[in-house]
Amino acid sequence: MKNLVLSFAILTSVLSFAQQREDRNLRGERKRVAQGIKSGEIKPREAVAIEKQAQDVKQAKRAAAADG
């Protein structure tokens, strides 16, 4: 029973850390895209495509995690 509780606690903390890291990476990407738009290197239409790709990756990761 102790091992089960400990395993659950470890799994929960690892998943929480992974989610935080993913959120931080996504924020960084959004910041870089905003800078690219501001500097003119990225067009708004390209920014929309980049955001869509990021959401697709996030959804695929969720589906993979749910599938095991």
Side-chain angles (χ1 to χ4, degrees):
M1 185 66 178
K2 258 186 177 179
N3 289 338
L4 180 63
V5 172
L6 182 60
S7 297
F8 182 73
I10 291 171
L11 178 63
T12 303
S13 65
V14 167
L15 291 176
S16 175
F17 177 75
Q19 182 64 41
Q20 290 172 357
R21 184 174 178 172
E22 182 179 329
D23 291 342
R24 185 177 45 208
N25 290 343
L26 189 55
R27 280 193 307 267
E29 182 177 309
R30 286 181 178 149
K31 187 177 179 180
R32 289 188 299 275
V33 168
Q35 289 172 346
I37 291 172
K38 187 176 180 181
S39 70
E41 292 180 29
I42 298 176
K43 295 182 173 127
R45 190 177 234 179
E46 293 172 321
V48 170
I50 291 169
E51 179 65 26
K52 171 105 173 75
Q53 289 173 350
Q55 293 301 323
D56 290 346
V57 168
K58 193 172 182 179
Q59 184 178 357
K61 284 183 180 180
R62 276 194 220 133
D67 193 23

